[in-house]
PDB file of all heavy atoms in Angstrom:
ATOM      1  N   TYR A 980     151.570 106.251 127.117  1.00 77.00           N
ATOM      2  CA  TYR A 980     152.050 106.036 125.753  1.00 77.00           C
ATOM      3  C   TYR A 980     153.490 105.534 125.745  1.00 77.00           C
ATOM      4  O   TYR A 980     153.838 104.620 124.998  1.00 77.00           O
ATOM      5  CB  TYR A 980     151.930 107.342 124.960  1.00 77.00           C
ATOM      6  CG  TYR A 980     152.225 107.189 123.489  1.00 77.00           C
ATOM      7  CD1 TYR A 980     151.615 106.170 122.747  1.00 77.00           C
ATOM      8  CD2 TYR A 980     153.090 108.054 122.830  1.00 77.00           C
ATOM      9  CE1 TYR A 980     151.874 106.030 121.395  1.00 77.00           C
ATOM     10  CE2 TYR A 980     153.342 107.914 121.483  1.00 77.00           C
ATOM     11  CZ  TYR A 980     152.731 106.900 120.769  1.00 77.00           C
ATOM     12  OH  TYR A 980     152.998 106.754 119.431  1.00 77.00           O
ATOM     13  N   ALA A 981     154.318 106.109 126.607  1.00 77.00           N
ATOM     14  CA  ALA A 981     155.719 105.667 126.678  1.00 77.00           C
ATOM     15  C   ALA A 981     155.811 104.212 127.126  1.00 77.00           C
ATOM     16  O   ALA A 981     156.586 103.420 126.577  1.00 77.00           O
ATOM     17  CB  ALA A 981     156.507 106.571 127.621  1.00 77.00           C
ATOM     18  N   ARG A 982     155.011 103.826 128.123  1.00 75.00           N
ATOM     19  CA  ARG A 982     155.025 102.447 128.616  1.00 75.00           C
ATOM     20  C   ARG A 982     154.464 101.502 127.559  1.00 75.00           C
ATOM     21  O   ARG A 982     154.948 100.389 127.390  1.00 75.00           O
ATOM     22  CB  ARG A 982     154.228 102.358 129.918  1.00 75.00           C
ATOM     23  CG  ARG A 982     154.938 103.015 131.094  1.00 75.00           C
ATOM     24  CD  ARG A 982     153.999 103.230 132.269  1.00 75.00           C
ATOM     25  NE  ARG A 982     153.485 101.964 132.794  1.00 75.00           N
ATOM     26  CZ  ARG A 982     154.167 101.165 133.607  1.00 75.00           C
ATOM     27  NH1 ARG A 982     155.398 101.490 133.977  1.00 75.00           N
ATOM     28  NH2 ARG A 982     153.639 100.053 134.053  1.00 75.00           N
ATOM     29  N   PHE A 983     153.435 101.935 126.848  1.00 79.00           N
ATOM     30  CA  PHE A 983     152.862 101.120 125.777  1.00 79.00           C
ATOM     31  C   PHE A 983     153.921 100.827 124.705  1.00 79.00           C
ATOM     32  O   PHE A 983     154.091  99.690 124.268  1.00 79.00           O
ATOM     33  CB  PHE A 983     151.666 101.852 125.164  1.00 79.00           C
ATOM     34  CG  PHE A 983     151.319 101.395 123.780  1.00 79.00           C
ATOM     35  CD1 PHE A 983     150.638 100.193 123.582  1.00 79.00           C
ATOM     36  CD2 PHE A 983     151.672 102.142 122.668  1.00 79.00           C
ATOM     37  CE1 PHE A 983     150.317  99.764 122.303  1.00 79.00           C
ATOM     38  CE2 PHE A 983     151.361 101.727 121.395  1.00 79.00           C
ATOM     39  CZ  PHE A 983     150.682 100.523 121.216  1.00 79.00           C
ATOM     40  N   LEU A 984     154.650 101.871 124.275  1.00 79.00           N
ATOM     41  CA  LEU A 984     155.675 101.676 123.249  1.00 79.00           C
ATOM     42  C   LEU A 984     156.768 100.728 123.728  1.00 79.00           C
ATOM     43  O   LEU A 984     157.231  99.852 122.988  1.00 79.00           O
ATOM     44  CB  LEU A 984     156.293 103.024 122.859  1.00 79.00           C
ATOM     45  CG  LEU A 984     155.389 104.012 122.127  1.00 79.00           C
ATOM     46  CD1 LEU A 984     156.117 105.322 121.905  1.00 79.00           C
ATOM     47  CD2 LEU A 984     154.892 103.448 120.806  1.00 79.00           C
ATOM     48  N   LYS A 985     157.174 100.887 124.984  1.00 77.00           N
ATOM     49  CA  LYS A 985     158.256 100.063 125.520  1.00 77.00           C
ATOM     50  C   LYS A 985     157.842  98.602 125.651  1.00 77.00           C
ATOM     51  O   LYS A 985     158.571  97.692 125.222  1.00 77.00           O
ATOM     52  CB  LYS A 985     158.685 100.606 126.885  1.00 77.00           C
ATOM     53  CG  LYS A 985     159.789  99.792 127.549  1.00 77.00           C
ATOM     54  CD  LYS A 985     160.159 100.387 128.898  1.00 77.00           C
ATOM     55  CE  LYS A 985     161.236  99.549 129.578  1.00 77.00           C
ATOM     56  NZ  LYS A 985     161.596 100.121 130.916  1.00 77.00           N
ATOM     57  N   ILE A 986     156.669  98.359 126.199  1.00 75.00           N
ATOM     58  CA  ILE A 986     156.252  96.991 126.496  1.00 75.00           C
ATOM     59  C   ILE A 986     155.866  96.231 125.238  1.00 75.00           C
ATOM     60  O   ILE A 986     156.153  95.050 125.092  1.00 75.00           O
ATOM     61  CB  ILE A 986     155.097  97.017 127.514  1.00 75.00           C
ATOM     62  CG1 ILE A 986     155.640  97.484 128.875  1.00 75.00           C
ATOM     63  CG2 ILE A 986     154.439  95.649 127.660  1.00 75.00           C
ATOM     64  CD1 ILE A 986     154.574  97.804 129.880  1.00 75.00           C
ATOM     65  N   THR A 987     155.201  96.915 124.293  1.00 74.00           N
ATOM     66  CA  THR A 987     154.763  96.234 123.077  1.00 74.00           C
ATOM     67  C   THR A 987     155.809  96.293 121.963  1.00 74.00           C
ATOM     68  O   THR A 987     155.621  95.685 120.912  1.00 74.00           O
ATOM     69  CB  THR A 987     153.458  96.855 122.549  1.00 74.00           C
ATOM     70  OG1 THR A 987     153.698  98.227 122.177  1.00 74.00           O
ATOM     71  CG2 THR A 987     152.363  96.793 123.600  1.00 74.00           C
ATOM     72  N   LYS A 988     156.912  97.038 122.213  1.00 76.00           N
ATOM     73  CA  LYS A 988     157.971  97.213 121.203  1.00 76.00           C
ATOM     74  C   LYS A 988     157.418  97.841 119.924  1.00 76.00           C
ATOM     75  O   LYS A 988     157.890  97.567 118.817  1.00 76.00           O
ATOM     76  CB  LYS A 988     158.669  95.880 120.907  1.00 76.00           C
ATOM     77  CG  LYS A 988     159.275  95.221 122.149  1.00 76.00           C
ATOM     78  CD  LYS A 988     160.104  94.012 121.800  1.00 76.00           C
ATOM     79  CE  LYS A 988     160.581  93.283 123.046  1.00 76.00           C
ATOM     80  NZ  LYS A 988     161.291  94.153 124.000  1.00 76.00           N
ATOM     81  N   GLN A 989     156.430  98.706 120.085  1.00 75.00           N
ATOM     82  CA  GLN A 989     155.904  99.471 118.961  1.00 75.00           C
ATOM     83  C   GLN A 989     156.734 100.736 118.786  1.00 75.00           C
ATOM     84  O   GLN A 989     157.510 101.128 119.664  1.00 75.00           O
ATOM     85  CB  GLN A 989     154.444  99.850 119.232  1.00 75.00           C
ATOM     86  CG  GLN A 989     153.489  98.679 119.323  1.00 75.00           C
ATOM     87  CD  GLN A 989     153.117  98.120 117.965  1.00 75.00           C
ATOM     88  OE1 GLN A 989     153.388  98.721 116.942  1.00 75.00           O
ATOM     89  NE2 GLN A 989     152.506  96.944 117.974  1.00 75.00           N
ATOM     90  N   GLU A 990     156.534 101.386 117.641  1.00 79.00           N
ATOM     91  CA  GLU A 990     157.178 102.665 117.373  1.00 79.00           C
ATOM     92  C   GLU A 990     156.115 103.678 116.985  1.00 79.00           C
ATOM     93  O   GLU A 990     155.089 103.330 116.391  1.00 79.00           O
ATOM     94  CB  GLU A 990     158.196 102.546 116.237  1.00 79.00           C
ATOM     95  CG  GLU A 990     159.394 101.662 116.544  1.00 79.00           C
ATOM     96  CD  GLU A 990     160.377 101.634 115.396  1.00 79.00           C
ATOM     97  OE1 GLU A 990     160.715 102.724 114.875  1.00 79.00           O
ATOM     98  OE2 GLU A 990     160.797 100.539 114.994  1.00 79.00           O
ATOM     99  N   SER A 991     156.367 104.944 117.311  1.00 77.00           N
ATOM    100  CA  SER A 991     155.444 106.006 116.933  1.00 77.00           C
ATOM    101  C   SER A 991     155.335 106.073 115.414  1.00 77.00           C
ATOM    102  O   SER A 991     156.318 105.883 114.696  1.00 77.00           O
ATOM    103  CB  SER A 991     155.925 107.360 117.457  1.00 77.00           C
ATOM    104  OG  SER A 991     156.029 107.343 118.848  1.00 77.00           O
TER     105      SER A 991
END
Side-chain angles (χ1 to χ4, degrees):
Y980 188 49
R982 288 165 62 80
F983 159 77
L984 293 176
K985 178 180 178 181
I986 291 169
T987 63
K988 303 187 186 306
Q989 295 282 348
E990 295 182 48
S991 300

